[in-house]
Amino acid sequence: QVLLVESGGGSVQAGGSLRLSCAAIGYAYRGDSMAWFRQAPGKEREGVAAIDSNGITTYADSVKGRFTVSEDSAKNTLYLQMNSLKPEDTAMYYCAAAFLRVPSGLPALRGAYYNYWGQGTQVTVSS
């Protein structure tokens, strides 16, 4: 069983930065991709950033150039560095892990490919 535990969320003013972490407990086999998703109230969940087992990253257009996804394999931890935050980035952010291969490119941001999900961490950006 895999447990994903997110942390690092909080409240920040527009233009600020936050770094989210996702500890993967029991995820001894790297599997394929890990990713960050977010969901704002009244909106559908959207993929934000993904990283595959080769370190190849994919970003949603809305965060490209501002967010960076990375991982520390030794610590089994996924990160999301978020800079130049905007009020529209306000959402619950979720970490997800896929056990099987995920297609490269934008399909890597589709939630259907991911088997394990964390409980989420809230990010609030004020103007």
Side-chain angles (χ1 to χ4, degrees):
Q1 185 174 352
V2 177
L3 180 64
L4 302 177
V5 181
E6 302 98 334
S7 61
S11 297
V12 65
Q13 288 192 329
S17 298
L18 283 173
R19 188 196 196 200
L20 306 184
S21 299
C22 171
I25 302 169
Y27 199 42
Y29 173 62
R30 173 56 175 81
D32 195 74
S33 291
M34 296 189 72
W36 289 97
F37 291 79
R38 67 186 181 186
Q39 188 166 20
K43 294 188 177 181
E44 292 187 356
R45 181 183 64 194
E46 65 169 330
V48 174
I51 183 167
D52 70 13
S53 56
N54 295 314
I56 297 174
T57 56
T58 302
Y59 296 95
D61 287 343
S62 58
V63 306
K64 205 171 290 184
R66 300 187 298 123
F67 290 11
T68 302
V69 60
S70 62
E71 63 176 344
D72 184 332
S73 299
K75 296 181 179 179
N76 257 8
T77 300
L78 182 73
Y79 301 100
L80 184 68
Q81 178 66 45
M82 305 185 295
N83 298 328
S84 302
L85 282 161
K86 304 175 181 180
E88 50 264 44
D89 294 319
T90 295
M92 185 72 79
Y93 282 71
Y94 299 91
C95 169
F99 193 81
L100 300 177
R101 190 178 184 285
V102 175
S104 59
L106 289 178
L109 299 181
R110 293 179 188 166
Y113 288 114
Y114 294 85
N115 311 100
Y116 307 105
W117 295 83
Q119 294 300 306
T121 186
Q122 178 68 37
V123 171
T124 302
V125 185
S126 58
S127 56

